[in-house]
Every structure is written in C-alpha cells, then in structure tokens.
Amino acid sequence: MVLLSSLMCDYVLTKCETKDLCSCTKSGAVRPTPQQSKSVKSKSSKSSKKGNASGSSKLPPVCYEIITLRSKKKKKMAADIFPTKKNSVMFNNELMADVHFVVGQTGRTQRLPGHRYVLAVGSSVFHAMFYGELAENKDEIHIPDVEPAAFLAMLKYIYCDEIDLSADTVLATLYAAKKYIVPHLARACVNFLETSLSAKNACVLLSQSCLFEEPELTQRCWEVIDAQAELALRSDGFCDIDAQTLESILQRETLNAKEIVVFEAALSWAEAECQRQELTSSTDNKRKVLGKAMYLIRIPTMALDDFANGAAQSGVLTLNETNDIFLWYTAVKKPELQFVSQPRKGLTPQRCHRFQSCAYRSNQWRYRGRCDSIQFAVDKRVFIAGFGLYGSSCGSAEYSAKIELKRQGVLLGQNLSKYFSDGSSNTFPVWFEYPVQIEPDTFYTASVVLDGSELSYFGQEGMTEVQCGKVTFQFQCSSDSTNGTGVQGGQIPELIFYA
C-alpha cells in the first residue's frame, strides 16, 4: 500500500493492488463505478502492452480503500499549548533575554532583562521600539523617567497577565502604563486610586489625574475635595501639588471650607514651594511664589475676627491691601478690591428622611444616657455631614448630643454639640466636625446619645428603603440601639449628606 495523505488527516486513501476486487469490497474497500472500471481496464491494458514489450507480467486490477486513522492522543488546541501565563517563567529572567533595561534615576537604577518578542506583543510602543521602521537594535535601553518598581509591575502584567499594585507605586505604575500604552493596566491603576481616594490624597491625585488625562478620576477627586475641603486643604499632600492645580482649587466655587482655612493652606503651600525653589521662607518670597493665586483667596468674605487675627497679621498682604480690606468691612463706601468679595456657594446639603410621620406620647421618648442607633447603606458614595434629630414635645428645651458614625465597629466620626428645640415636631441638625465619606454597598451605624428634656417627638411608619435624588438608602436595625430606635420608629429621623 502507498499512503497518499498526511498522517495529520483523520482519513487516508490507499491503493489496493489485489487480484480480487470483491475481497477488497468485503474488507471495506470502495467498489469502483463502471466508468472507473473502464478507465482502470484501459490503463491496465496499456500497461500490459508496455509490460509485455518489456517482458513484465500483467498488472492486477486497482481499487482504492479508505482507512480511518484513530489517534490515541487528542489534538492540542492553541490554548492548551500556550496557557494564559505562558511567559511567566520568563518574567525578570535572564534566560534567552535579548534586551536589558536600565530603569530609574542615576544612582538608583536597576538593570532588568527582557524579551523583545514578548514585549512587542504586549505593548505597541515596544513593538515600534524593536520592530518598527525606526527601530534601534540596542542591547541596553536606559529609562530614567520610570521607577524600577513600576516598570517591574508593568513587565509582570505583560508576561504573567497579573496586576500587582500598592499604594506606594500605583501612580508610578500608571505613568509607566500610559507611557507604553498598556490600557488594561492603566485602567486597573485608576480603579485602585478611586477606591483608595480620601481627603488626605485627593489634592495630589487631582494633580496626577489631570496630567494623565483621566476625567473620571478627576471628577472623583473634586467630589472629595468639595465635601471634605478643610481636611483636604490641611493634608500634607496639598503642599505637593503644582501651581496650576493650586489655582484650580483656590478658585473652586463649591469648596466647602471657611476662607481662613483656604488662606492658611495657601501659605503652607507657598512655604513648601519656597523650599522647592531653594528660597528662604520669607513673607516676600511666599507672596512671590503665590503670584496671581493670591487674589483667588476670598479674603473679604472671612469673618472680621479671622481677618484681623490671621490674614492681616500674616505679612503677605501689602499695607494698602490690608487698609482697603478693613475699609471694605466697615465703611459705607467700600473701596475696589482685587480680591473676590463674593462668598463661595459651597455644597447644598441633602436630607434623607426615613419616617413618614412623627408623634409624641406622655411616656415617650425618654433620654437617660441610653443610645439610639440605626444601620444604613447607600448605593453610591456620599458624605454624611450630620444627623437631623427630634426635639422636645413639651415646650422649648436644650439638648446635648453625642453623635457617632461607625463601620464594622470602627469609629469614623463623632462630635459632641448642643442644639435648641423650639417645641415643634421639626428636626434639628447636629453636625460632624468634618463630613464622613461613605462607600456604597456597606452598612454603617449611626448613633446618638441625648441628654435633655425627658419627653420628645419620635418617628413612626419607618421605611426600609428611601430614594434621595440619585442615591438610595437602605435601613436596618442596629444592635447598638438601647433606647428603642429601629427601622419602624424612634430617633435619628434624618441623615444629612453631600452627594
């Protein structure tokens, strides 16, 4: 038999040289058609004549047999041959490395091995670098603007399809991913930053998000800065921002902060900027580095005491500016100022009211140092600024309120303050010192301990779910509640928040 097809096929066709066609048919051969038989006979006769002339014997009739080849081994697909982590062994490995990267600034460099083909597949920038029209065949490539840890994190993703991020290196990794156009890794970095965003790092991330052109991250930074402005302005990260970001924050209309806090934050930034420019931290140099940003601070909107005891004595204002602002406070005919004299609009607080009605009885609601508490969750990130509480049901009275906000037993915010109740069924706001950031899909515990008039109004017909604008609140009873407050009735009728 002569094998006519490749062993890779499932079927092969063989030529059977037997004298008996029927035997081939019985054994599974294919019987030729009459036309095929004539063709075979004619060819046989010609062959026989030639054979007779040469003295050879007559050839036997020919038929073809289809044989099925059964392979014991299943054919491997590409996914089996090349698994997801096909290059993980080669990551940061000198084996067969055909290029090396010297990464980092001078004095802190690290030499890392690479493989041109693998890198070219994972990044269009590497593809152009190694195989493009202007490719340079260098064995060693210097990359001074990327941190070694960030470059390694990018290589690990390209080789192993694994994302390994940390708070210390995520910004540098985002820069590397943007530079070498690795979009999935860049998106993972942005998601990591969004989840770790807080008032402490919001200003720095705002600066970086503008640099990296990430509008979603920029918007999230502004939400935090607006709602928790005083915390953000007093953070260490605020002093590390660039001048352009400083100006954008100072002119922000919705900044929820006292103007004296804005002024003090600007002076702190100016002192840090003097150090960066290797200048002495004198008042003249501070004013110099602030430049036109100084006039974005709305000094005339400060309380008079804040201006007299703070800005007026800081030394960064000229004598004429100080006199004009004092006149602006006191004179009927106010002088023209270069400073903006309109106060910022800030943020408008929203209220989530969880009861449909309220009532009072002669034996309810009493306060004897016991805790009223409720649990809640939201479907979008918000900032809880305070609670709305009921007051006395038997005339005007003053209350002392200790409010707390916890997550899984961890205290996130608290405040001790007083409020005056006029005897009506209205709610009265009690505020935290700073708004507390609330993440979605997690239950938080809101608690208050009241001391004051024994009898007060209380809520009833409570709802387990309340829609407030674009935010949905869910409520459930809290085990911390020892004074009867729950979903159906009790205290803490309102959550005051920014969204």
Side-chain angles (χ1 to χ4, degrees), residues 402-405 411-416 431-434 436:
K402 180 182 179 182
I403 59 174
E404 292 183 344
L405 196 57
L411 185 65
L412 303 178
Q414 65 176 352
N415 198 17
L416 179 62
W431 307 91
F432 289 105
E433 184 177 3
Y434 303 110
V436 181

Side-chain angles (χ1 to χ4, degrees), residues 193-435:
L193 291 171
E194 287 182 352
T195 56
S196 61
L197 183 61
S198 67
K200 294 181 179 180
N201 60 12
C203 295
V204 173
L205 293 185
L206 174 67
S207 176
Q208 297 297 322
S209 65
C210 295
L211 176 65
F212 295 137
E213 297 180 350
E214 290 290 342
E216 293 182 7
L217 180 58
T218 300
Q219 179 59 31
R220 281 287 303 113
C221 291
W222 278 125
E223 291 174 4
V224 174
I225 293 171
D226 283 342
Q228 297 181 307
E230 295 191 2
L231 284 175
L233 294 174
R234 286 170 173 163
S235 67
D236 294 335
F238 179 80
C239 296
D240 297 329
I241 62 177
D242 58 277
Q244 185 178 355
T245 305
L246 173 71
E247 292 181 10
S248 65
I249 293 176
L250 294 183
Q251 66 187 4
R252 185 77 172 172
E253 188 69 30
T254 50
L255 209 59
N256 196 35
K258 295 178 180 178
E259 207 62 33
I260 185 62
V261 176
V262 178
F263 177 80
E264 291 171 349
L267 288 188
S268 298
W269 180 90
E271 184 174 355
E273 183 66 14
C274 286
Q275 294 177 359
R276 285 189 287 268
Q277 297 186 19
E278 298 181 352
L279 301 173
T280 58
S281 298
S282 63
T283 54
D284 290 339
N285 285 336
K286 290 179 182 179
R287 180 63 185 262
K288 179 182 177 180
V289 297
L290 281 171
K292 62 181 181 180
M294 186 70 193
Y295 297 108
L296 300 176
I297 306 171
R298 306 188 182 191
I299 295 178
T301 66
M302 292 181 185
L304 181 57
D305 290 345
D306 289 339
F307 173 71
N309 298 318
Q313 300 184 39
S314 65
V316 295
L317 298 176
T318 65
L319 184 59
N320 288 336
E321 288 171 344
T322 304
N323 289 337
D324 286 346
I325 294 173
F326 267 121
L327 288 175
W328 193 91
Y329 278 111
T330 56
V332 176
K333 185 179 179 180
K334 301 183 183 300
E336 292 185 3
L337 300 174
Q338 289 184 275
F339 298 92
V340 180
S341 57
Q342 295 296 324
R344 303 178 194 271
K345 294 181 180 178
L347 294 176
T348 302
Q350 302 181 48
R351 295 173 181 253
C352 173
H353 197 92
R354 66 188 189 92
F355 295 125
Q356 300 182 62
S357 63
C358 67
Y360 71 91
R361 299 191 186 97
S362 59
N363 61 343
Q364 289 182 333
W365 201 266
R366 296 180 179 275
Y367 306 106
R368 295 178 181 176
R370 290 177 292 189
C371 180
D372 290 287
S373 183
I374 191 71
Q375 287 191 328
F376 70 94
V378 292
D379 62 343
K380 291 181 177 62
R381 184 182 287 108
V382 299
F383 300 87
I384 297 295
F387 305 150
L389 302 176
Y390 287 123
S392 172
S393 60
C394 52
S396 59
E398 186 179 63
Y399 287 88
S400 174
K402 180 182 179 182
I403 59 174
E404 292 183 344
L405 196 57
K406 296 180 180 180
R407 177 182 179 179
Q408 298 177 349
V410 178
L411 185 65
L412 303 178
Q414 65 176 352
N415 198 17
L416 179 62
S417 61
K418 294 182 179 181
Y419 70 94
F420 182 79
S421 168
D422 59 5
S424 69
S425 60
N426 297 331
T427 58
F428 303 93
V430 179
W431 307 91
F432 289 105
E433 184 177 3
Y434 303 110

Side-chain angles (χ1 to χ4, degrees), residues 90-100 111-115:
M90 309 305 295
F91 167 62
N92 199 21
N93 194 337
E94 292 286 351
L95 180 63
M96 292 189 290
D98 53 2
V99 66
H100 285 81
R111 194 170 186 268
L112 303 173
H115 307 79

